[in-house]
Amino acid sequence: MQWKLVASGLALIAATYGLARFGYGLFLPRFAEAYALGPALSGAIQAGSFLSYCVTALLAARLGSRPRLVILLAGATAALGTAGVAAAPNAGVLAAAIVLAGAGAGFATPGLVSLIESNVEDRRQENAQTIVNSGTGAGLVAAGALLILVGTQWRLGWAVIAAVVILATAATLRSDRKNATAAPAPRPGRKDLLLLGWPLLAAGLAGASSAAVWTFGRTVLADGTDAELYSIGAWTVLGAFGMLGAGAGTIVQNWSLGTAWTATTALMSAATLLLAAAPGFPAVAYGAAALFGASYIAMSGVLIVWAVRVLPENGSAGTVALFIALAVGQAAGSVGLGAVLQPQDPLPAFALAAVAGLLAIGPAWLRGRTDREPSPVPNSSR
């Protein structure tokens, strides 16, 4: 395996996902204090970030023959967005910068797919993709440590994130031994989208469910106790256990796809409910954070394999479609939950999110094939 590319790709996912994209939820209490953001506006800003991911993922698919350019665009958008957050003078600029920062992840996904396909032998690609996918968890750990280090100087923290994005982008491009180019990836046709119908629905529902923790989880934890380190520590635990998602490829190969999807999605829903039920009880809150991190990243890894099993000849396009559905669900969930969330009583809103996650289980058992065998041509995405 081309370990330098895997390591740098993991770092790029950590930077664009764990820091630039999901770092918003971690820093949200700081933003809310600085710009007087309420839950509804906070959710709308996060929704914009998720939707910008969708737009850039589609654009990246059109640039599929130029993966190095796509990686460069990932770094440029994430770096400019995070630098914009650091300098934002008002809530409007902050919102625009958060949206731009989230766009970087949409470019990173397809670009890394192509680089791994070009640099890693076929039999090891599935594992390489799920290892790189776990970079989200590593980025969350780094975000928690960064927030502790910078304290109230959150602008400095986002300037550091911008620098990390630039370094990770440069390292990824340097690790591309074959100076990868690729034939334009075929886009999903009508038949492909029909085949992806159930997984698209499942991804959308799972995304809506996950939005509760990604957008408001740290806020709920911060409101549940006076100790800020407590909530930051829980977020860091979430990221640390998220790195266990690197084993998602092995999970699906050893279990059926339906069983793997059911387990990861049900555990994510349970963690969402537990987090809001007892945010001030360390054993429960930290356990819920750990469970959410591990199950969410593993769930996204299962989506990677699901797309490839359904469209083995067009796996990259399939995974982009599923991750766009995941992000659309997250955008809808952020807006919807932000509209109903009561900061002093978050349980009803988080319970709705948990129900959405449980509903996401159904499509895995309604799909038209068993998908029990490993895919012969592993292509994947974040």
Side-chain angles (χ1 to χ4, degrees):
M1 190 178 295
Q2 222 277 53
W3 287 110
K4 286 186 178 180
L5 177 60
V6 171
S8 60
L10 185 150
L12 184 61
I13 292 301
T16 56
Y17 279 72
L19 291 168
R21 187 180 182 210
F22 290 132
Y24 171 76
L26 176 63
F27 282 80
L28 182 55
R30 292 277 191 267
F31 298 148
E33 181 181 357
Y35 301 106
L37 303 179
L41 181 55
S42 299
I45 292 173
Q46 182 75 306
S49 173
F50 289 139
L51 291 176
S52 70
Y53 169 92
C54 300
V55 172
T56 54
L58 288 171
L59 178 57
R62 297 181 67 89
L63 297 172
S65 62
R66 304 178 67 186
R68 292 178 63 84
L69 173 61
V70 173
I71 293 296
L72 184 61
L73 289 171
T77 51
L80 287 172
T82 52
V85 172
N90 54 54
V93 175
L94 173 74
I98 289 293
V99 169
L100 183 59
F107 282 120
T109 290
L112 282 168
V113 169
S114 296
L115 291 188
I116 289 175
E117 288 175 345
S118 300
N119 287 270
V120 178
E121 56 269 36
D122 287 352
R123 65 188 180 87
R124 295 188 176 183
Q125 283 181 21
E126 192 168 275
N127 283 335
Q129 297 285 9
T130 52
I131 290 171
V132 169
N133 184 61
S134 71
T136 299
L140 293 171
V141 172
L146 180 63
L147 183 53
I148 291 172
L149 289 173
V150 300
T152 59
Q153 302 300 314
W154 58 266
R155 294 182 186 275
L156 174 61
W158 281 81
V160 171
I161 293 173
V164 171
V165 169
I166 292 170
L167 292 173
T169 303
T172 300
L173 292 173
R174 284 178 60 105
S175 299
D176 174 24
R177 291 181 179 174
K178 298 189 176 181
N179 197 18
T181 58
R187 299 186 188 97
R190 182 177 300 179
K191 181 179 178 182
D192 291 337
L193 291 176
L194 287 174
L195 290 172
L196 286 171
W198 290 122
L200 286 169
L201 177 60
L205 288 169
S209 177
S210 71
V213 173
W214 286 131
T215 305
F216 302 110
R218 228 279 278 181
T219 300
V220 167
L221 287 166
D223 287 342
T225 177
D226 293 331
E228 185 176 62
L229 286 177
Y230 170 83
S231 61
I232 297 174
W235 192 268
T236 304
V237 167
L238 188 159
F241 276 80
M243 295 177 70
L244 297 176
T250 302
I251 290 173
V252 181
Q253 289 167 355
N254 291 334
W255 300 351
S256 72
L257 190 146
T259 301
W261 178 258
T262 298
T264 56
T265 309
L267 289 173
M268 182 185 73
S269 300
T272 299
L273 191 62
L274 282 173
L275 191 68
F281 291 86
V284 177
Y286 274 54
L291 185 60
F292 181 88
S295 58
Y296 176 87
I297 301 301
M299 177 273 293
S300 66
V302 175
L303 272 183
I304 291 170
V305 181
W306 196 351
V308 178
R309 303 269 178 95
V310 174
L311 299 178
E313 302 301 324
N314 198 7
S316 295
T319 48
V320 169
L322 291 191
F323 275 81
I324 287 175
L326 184 71
V328 169
Q330 288 168 331
S334 294
V335 172
L337 294 170
V340 301
L341 179 70
Q342 298 296 322
Q344 302 308 314
D345 185 20
L347 187 56
F350 274 57
L352 288 175
V355 169
L358 293 176
L359 291 175
I361 294 172
W365 298 100
L366 295 171
R367 67 193 192 283
R369 51 186 295 178
T370 58
D371 294 321
R372 292 179 181 272
E373 297 300 324
S375 171
V377 183
N379 300 312
S380 53
S381 178
R382 243 65 43 209

